[in-house]
Amino acid sequence: MWILIARAPRPDAPYWRGRRTLALIDAALWPILVATALNHLPLSAGLAGSVLMAACVLIGARCVSVAMWDVGQYRFITARIAVPLVVLLAVGAVLKLAA
């Protein structure tokens, strides 16, 4: 049996001056970084590398279009990636100091 629950759409994020510019930078930066990392792999990635590169282009294009035209619905990728990394680094620093 399938139970479908419809969620309410996310409200638009508050707009502030410079949000569109930062959103465009954020939307383009992460796919470019992943594509650059794929190009600098020491071994040939073969077909999987080509598929991942195409995925980077498609995801980047979608994120840039959302950041440009519907900036209220864009959520920053850096915030979703940086916050867990900072927490892990803080836990690691505390563990290093405790040892």
Side-chain angles (χ1 to χ4, degrees):
M1 176 188 300
W2 282 55
I3 299 174
L4 299 176
I5 300 171
R7 293 190 300 178
R10 290 189 306 191
D12 283 350
Y15 185 80
W16 36 271
R17 187 176 176 178
R19 179 178 170 83
R20 184 178 311 268
T21 305
L22 285 178
L24 283 170
I25 292 169
D26 185 70
L29 178 71
W30 287 103
I32 289 172
L33 287 176
V34 171
T36 304
L38 284 173
N39 275 339
H40 291 338
L41 286 176
L43 300 173
S44 176
L47 183 62
S50 299
V51 169
L52 287 174
M53 191 70 69
C56 285
V57 170
L58 292 174
I59 290 170
R62 182 182 179 278
C63 288
V64 166
S65 70
V66 170
M68 182 181 271
W69 301 113
D70 195 14
V71 73
Q73 288 295 315
Y74 183 77
R75 301 294 189 250
F76 287 94
I77 300 169
T78 303
R80 284 188 261 166
I81 292 174
V83 170
L85 286 178
V86 168
V87 168
L88 285 174
L89 286 172
V91 167
V94 168
L95 288 175
K96 190 170 186 175
L97 287 175

